[in-house]
Amino acid sequence: MSALKEYKGSRYIAEKQVLVIDVGHAYTKFGFVSEAAPRGIVRSEIKCPNTDTIRNIFSYKDQNDLYELLVEFLHNIFFKRIMISAKDIKVVNVESPLVTTEFRNILTKVLFRHFEVGAIMFLPTHLVTTCTLACQTILVLDVGYEEASVIPIYEGVPILKAWQALPLGAKAVHKTIMKAMQEILTEEECTEKLIEDIKVRTCFVTTMERSAKLLTDNPPTPPPNVKYFTKRSLEIPGTVRESAFEKLWERDLDNLSIPTMILDSIIKCPIDARKPLAENILLIGGTVMTTGFITRLKSELEHIVNSEPYSEKLTLRKFKFHTAPSKPNYTAWLGGAIFGIAADLPSRCLSKEAYLETNHVPDWVCLIDNRKDDGENIEY
Amino acid sequence: MAYLRQPEYVQYSCSCGSLKSISKIYFCRHCLSIRCGFCVCHEVDSYYCPNCLENLPTSEVRLKKNKCSNCFDCPCCLQTLSIRLGQSFSVSSQSKSEEESKPTTKKVYYLSCSLCRWSSRDAGIPDQTVATGSWKEQENPYSNRVNALINYYKILASFEKQQKERKKFHIKRSFLQFEKFGITSAMARKRSGRPPLTQAQNQTVTTPTPSVAEENVDESLSDLFTKSIDITRTTTIDQRLQHPELQADTIDKLRPQKKQFIIKRSQRCRTCEHNVSKPDYCSTSTKFKIQLAAYYHLPEVRIVTYEPLQFGKSSELLLKLSNPTQHQMQITFLSLETPVITTTKVQGVVEEINKERIQMGCDSPNLLPSAIRQTAVIEEVKPIIVVPNGEILLPNSSFTLPPKDEAAEYDELNVPQNFQDDPKVVVWRNSNKSVIRLHVLPDVTKSSGDMPETVIVGFVMQFSYINTIATLEHKTPQKLDLRVKLYLTLDNSSKIARTASMLK
C-alpha cells in the first residue's frame, strides 16, 4: 500500500517540472521543486532592450518599464538558464511579505499574461524557510541587498505584528566601502560590481571588542592590506576591510541596528513565545555569509540584552542559532523547493484561469483576501 | 548584411505595439499580421551541448539536469575545458613482488583550461584512465538531509490531497454521514456498549528530526586580523555562484562544472497557434523547417539618402523598396493616422476583413479545432512610444513592384519593364526594387527652437499581398491589401544626409 502511494507521489512530480524562483534585489535564485540546490543564481539585472544598458530590474521608472524589464529578465531565465517552455508550467514564487504590491502584481501579470504559466504558488520568504529545518518556531532574520527584515514564526504562524525591517543590507555596506575607497578608486572604477567584489573577497565583520576600539584614539592594529587587481593594481587598506560592515551594528538616529531589530521583534511577541524564539534564530540572505557575521551578531545580542532598556523588558539571556541545510543565500529558495511540492494541490495555487477572470493577485494586506471570518482564504 | 545590425533607422510596428527592424519580425501567414519576439510564444524544441553538439531527448536531458556528461566548464574562467592526455608511471602490486619488472607507463587523462591555465591536477583531482564519463561531480553536502525533508513534505502533500478528495466524497452523501457520525448514532453506540467509531487513523508520518539550534557559533576569527589574503587565491562571487551548492571561497576548492545544454527554440503565433519559426531538430543544422520571417513577405524599406533637414523647408528623402515575394505588389502610402486594417477588393468594392475571421477559416488539420483550443491569452497592446517630430509628404498615386526573380539578378540583359510611373515619385527601378522620392518637413511646433538631432517621421504603407494558403473558404489564392505602420529615424548629423547634399 505504502509502496503504491510513493509510486503515485513520484509520478505526480515526474509529470511536469515546477519552477521555484526567488527574485531578490541583487540576485535571483531559480531551480526546480524537490531539488537540493538551485540550478543557478544570477544577478537580477538585464540588458534593457530600449537603451542597451544593463539595468537592475528594481530600477524601474513605471509599470510599463518594469513589465518590459521583467519580460526580458524572465525570458532569459526560462530559455537561456533553466531551459523550459514557460507555457502551462507551475511556478513557485518565493517572495518577501514586504515586497511592494506594484512589483508583485506586475511580476504575476508578466508570468500569466506574457509567459502563460499555468499556476503560481506564492510563498512568503520567512515562513517557508521553516521547512528547511523541520521546526515550527523560528525567528528569521533575512539580510539581503536592500534591507534586513525580521519576522518571528511561532508554531508555524508568522507573528506579523512583530515584523521589523531596516535598510541595512549589502547596499548599505557597499555605500560604506565606496565612501572609504573614494580616494583610492577613480570615479569610473567605482562601480557597484567592483565594490561588491572587494567586499566579498576581502572584507569581514570584526569582533565587538575591536569594533569598540576602532573609533577611539588607540585603535587596534588593522588587519593587513590586500593587493587587489583591476586594470591596475591597488591596495585595499585593512581599515576598510575591517570597518566595511560596521554600518550594520551602529545605532541609527532611532537607536536601531540589526541586533535591536531582533530584540524589538521578540519584545513585540507574546511572553510565552519569547524564549523559544530567542533560542531558535535562523539567519538567511547573502550578507549573513560574511565571515564573522554570526559571531558578531551573537555577542552584540548578548551585550545589548544586558543593557538598558532591554535588560528590564527581557529576561532571556541565551541566544541559539540554527544552521539550515544550505548556504544562507539560497535558504529561502530551498524552503520554496521543499514546500513547493504542495504546488500539486490546486487550492494552494493561483491558477491562470482564476487570474484572468479577476485580474487580481491575492495578498495578505488586501482585505478582500484576508478576512477574519474565513480562514480558507488566508494564504499563509 | 551589415545593415541588419546597424541602428534601427526603419522600424516596422508589430501588431503588439513594439517597433522593430524588418530583420527582427515575423509575418504570420495565417493571421496575416506581423509578430515579433515579444508577442509570440516561445517553446523549447531540442536540447544540445554547445561544445560537442550532442543532442538528447527531453526526458534524458531532465535526468541529467540539463548538463552534458562529457564536456566541462572551467570553474575559474567559465570557458570550456579540454581533456588532455598525460602519462603516469605506475608500479602495480603484482610487479612489486617480482623485483625485475619495470614500472609501466599508463595513459591518463586530465582536464585543462587553455584560457586561464587551470587544470584538474592543480585542484588535486586524480587523473582518470578513461577520457570521458568517469569525472565525478561534487556531491551536495546537504543532500541527505534535504531529501529527508522533501520526502516528508511529499507525504504531507499527498495526505492533504487525500483529505481534499475525502471531503468531496462526504459532501455528496451528507445524509449518510449524519447517520454514521451524528450525535444520535454516537449515543446509540455508547448505550449498546460498543466502542465509539473513531475516524480512520492517518498513517503516522515520521517527521524528520528537527534541526537543533546551537549556542556556540564556531567561527575561527583569530587569524583574520593578522593573516594576509592573497587576492588571486580567493574566488570571485561569479565563480562562487557558478556552483551554488558549495560556493567555494578559495581557488583550490573549485571543481569543474558539467557544461549546460542550450536549446533550439520554436516560435508560435499566440493567436492562431501556428509556428512562425521552427528550427531543424538536428543540432548541427542551422536550417529551419518553418521560417516565416517578415523579410520574405513584407516589402523592405531602406533609406537611401536625404537632404539635410531644415525648419520650414521640405527636404528630399529617397527610399528604396524591394519586393521579396513571388507576386506583383501594389504599394500605396497613407498618412500615419490611417487605421491598420486588412482589406480586399471584391469586384471593385473595398471590403474590410476581420482578422478573427481569417483565423477561423484557416483551421489546418495539424491543429486542434479552434473550439477546443484554449482561449489565447492576449497581452495588452503596448502604446507606441515614438513621437514623430516631422511630417512626410506622401504621393497620392500608388506604384507597382514586380515580383522577385532570382534569375534576373544574374541576367545582365535585363529588359526594363514598362511601368506607367510618375517620374516625380519613382526615381529608379531595377527588377523587384525601386527607389522613390518623398519629402520631409520637420515639425516646428513639437520641438522647441533648436533643430532636433533626429527627425522621426511615420507613415502607413499599404501593399497588396497574395494569400496562398488554401482555406475552406478560399480555395484559390486571395488578393489582400495589408497595411503596416513604419517609422523612419532621420539622423540629421549622419553621413547619409551630408552625401545627399553633395549629390545635389
Side-chain angles (χ1 to χ4, degrees), chain B residues 226-239:
Chain B
T226 49
K227 211 177 84 180
S228 61
I229 297 178
D230 183 3
I231 199 81
T232 54
R233 307 296 304 165
T234 42
T235 52
T236 65
I237 193 150
D238 289 327
Q239 288 168 344

Side-chain angles (χ1 to χ4, degrees), chain B residues 37-221:
Chain B
F38 188 84
C39 58
V40 290
C41 179
H42 298 256
E43 284 165 15
V44 176
D45 232 36
S46 62
Y47 296 85
Y48 66 99
C49 171
N51 189 42
C52 63
L53 295 180
E54 183 190 20
N55 65 347
L56 292 173
T58 319
S59 53
E60 211 166 317
V61 167
R62 249 177 85 170
L63 217 67
K64 291 186 167 176
K65 296 195 168 184
N66 286 359
K67 281 173 186 167
C68 180
S69 46
N70 301 330
C71 307
F72 287 89
D73 273 338
C74 173
C76 227
C77 64
L78 318 180
Q79 297 299 313
T80 311
L81 286 175
S82 44
I83 296 169
R84 294 288 183 86
L85 179 71
Q87 284 186 329
S88 82
F89 297 96
S90 67
V91 186
S92 64
S93 56
Q94 278 191 339
S95 58
K96 248 181 194 169
S97 55
E98 303 156 26
E99 279 175 19
E100 70 277 6
S101 73
K102 288 171 198 165
T104 48
T105 53
K106 227 165 77 184
K107 274 184 186 174
V108 287
Y109 298 91
Y110 64 98
L111 296 168
S112 141
C113 176
S114 47
L115 196 78
C116 72
R117 291 294 177 202
W118 181 91
S119 91
S120 61
R121 288 178 165 176
D122 296 348
I125 302 168
D127 291 347
Q128 302 292 321
T129 48
V130 209
T132 55
S134 61
W135 300 99
K136 284 204 178 74
E137 280 230 299
Q138 259 179 317
E139 289 263 318
N140 186 345
Y142 310 110
S143 58
N144 283 342
R145 170 75 176 157
V146 175
N147 282 340
L149 289 168
I150 285 168
N151 284 336
Y152 170 62
Y153 277 92
K154 259 181 200 168
I155 295 168
L156 282 193
S158 69
F159 269 179
E160 195 172 324
K161 196 162 204 159
Q162 282 174 10
Q163 267 174 8
K164 282 267 150 66
E165 275 161 16
R166 206 172 287 154
K167 252 185 204 167
K168 272 184 215 155
F169 187 66
H170 281 315
I171 290 161
K172 271 184 198 162
R173 352 183 299 167
S174 56
F175 59 96
L176 272 179
Q177 182 198 0
F178 183 72
E179 295 258 298
K180 205 172 173 187
F181 298 109
I183 290 175
T184 45
S185 73
M187 291 283 279
R189 288 187 79 87
K190 215 175 177 181
R191 246 174 235 166
S192 63
R194 282 194 292 172
L197 248 183
T198 46
Q199 273 206 311
Q201 275 288 312
N202 286 338
Q203 295 134 296
T204 45
V205 190
T206 45
T207 42
T209 44
S211 141
V212 182
E214 298 278 336
E215 201 179 351
N216 297 327
V217 283
D218 42 317
E219 273 187 302
S220 53
L221 300 175

Side-chain angles (χ1 to χ4, degrees), chain A residues 5 14 67 82-83 85 113-114 116 133 201 227 241 294-295 298 321-322 327 329 347-348, chain B residues 38 44 47 62 66 145 160 162 164 211 214-215 219 224 229 231 246-247 260-261 270 379:
Chain A
K5 282 255 158 58
Y67 191 90
I82 203 136
M83 285 166 289
S85 297
R113 296 243 169 218
H114 189 90
E116 301 181 58
L133 300 175
R201 292 167 82 181
K227 272 225 153 99
R241 292 178 54 204
I294 190 160
T295 316
K298 189 165 174 271
F321 296 90
H322 276 284
K327 295 280 172 191
N329 60 351
S347 61
R348 288 194 179 262
Chain B
F38 188 84
V44 176
Y47 296 85
R62 249 177 85 170
N66 286 359
R145 170 75 176 157
E160 195 172 324
Q162 282 174 10
K164 282 267 150 66
S211 141
E214 298 278 336
E215 201 179 351
E219 273 187 302
L224 203 61
I229 297 178
I231 199 81
L246 295 162
Q247 303 187 20
Q260 276 242 326
F261 279 122
R270 286 170 73 163
E379 283 182 284

